[in-house]
Amino acid sequence: MHKAHPGYVEIIRNLCSDEALLLKAFISTPLYPFIDIQSTAENILGFRRELSNYSHLHKEYKVNRADLVPSYLDNLRRLGILEISLGIAITADNTFEPLENDNELQVIKELIKSQDREVSFGRGIVRLTSFGAQFIENVVDEKS
């Protein structure tokens, strides 16, 4: 049974084709791990975020602009479809290590180290909101 929400039209207007493709990922899997790459310097409190919302979604779903996936996730959060939670981690073994050790991140890591800074990671999850689950069920999932 379709439960069309009046906001669906505005959401569709605010999606690019890559974002629509990424939404298909959430049909079968309700959440995905992501990392933020951070740098710290000795004797300085806090950290600097170098890259946010890095996931492997671009490897699972062939988007046109893999470099924009972190921004796509931000937009989907802005639209109320996704929740992005830093500091909430998945407890299954070897969940975040493939992200943290990804060869795509070597350039950023080397740049941080060349500035005499240390590389660290923030771990989190991206998952559907209840509104996002309804949107996917009624608009994205072809079985509905």
Side-chain angles (χ1 to χ4, degrees):
M1 177 174 156
H2 289 283
K3 301 173 195 151
H5 187 282
Y8 290 171
V9 173
E10 280 303 311
I11 289 172
I12 292 168
R13 272 192 208 142
N14 284 280
L15 293 177
C16 71
S17 60
D18 278 349
E19 291 165 335
L21 181 61
L22 288 177
L23 286 176
K24 289 187 174 193
F26 292 91
I27 292 172
S28 60
T29 304
L31 62 89
Y32 288 89
F34 76 89
I35 59 170
D36 284 355
I37 300 174
Q38 305 161 161
S39 67
T40 55
E42 196 172 323
N43 299 323
I44 296 177
L45 294 175
F47 61 88
R48 181 169 61 203
R49 190 169 286 128
E50 305 290 346
L51 179 66
S52 297
N53 303 339
Y54 181 78
S55 70
H56 280 162
L57 283 167
H58 68 284
K59 292 182 179 188
E60 295 176 37
Y61 294 86
K62 301 298 179 198
V63 296
N64 292 317
R65 293 287 310 271
D67 60 317
L68 293 179
V69 169
S71 296
Y72 296 155
L73 295 177
D74 278 339
N75 187 47
L76 293 168
R77 178 187 49 76
R78 178 187 69 84
L79 294 170
I81 295 173
L82 297 180
E83 174 185 347
I84 298 173
S85 302
L86 190 60
I88 298 176
I90 300 169
T91 56
D93 289 341
N94 204 30
T95 298
F96 293 95
E97 289 78 4
L99 294 169
E100 294 170 352
N101 297 319
D102 195 311
N103 286 334
E104 290 180 1
L105 304 178
Q106 275 311 114
V107 172
I108 293 172
K109 290 178 183 178
E110 289 172 12
L111 179 63
I112 292 169
K113 291 175 183 176
S114 73
Q115 298 169 348
D116 291 325
R117 299 179 69 84
E118 295 292 320
V119 175
S120 63
F121 301 99
R123 294 177 169 184
I125 59 168
V126 58
R127 63 182 163 197
L128 287 173
T129 63
S130 57
F131 177 76
Q134 284 181 328
F135 180 80
I136 286 181
E137 179 183 334
N138 292 302
V139 178
V140 178
D141 191 355
E142 295 168 359
K143 291 182 277 182
S144 60

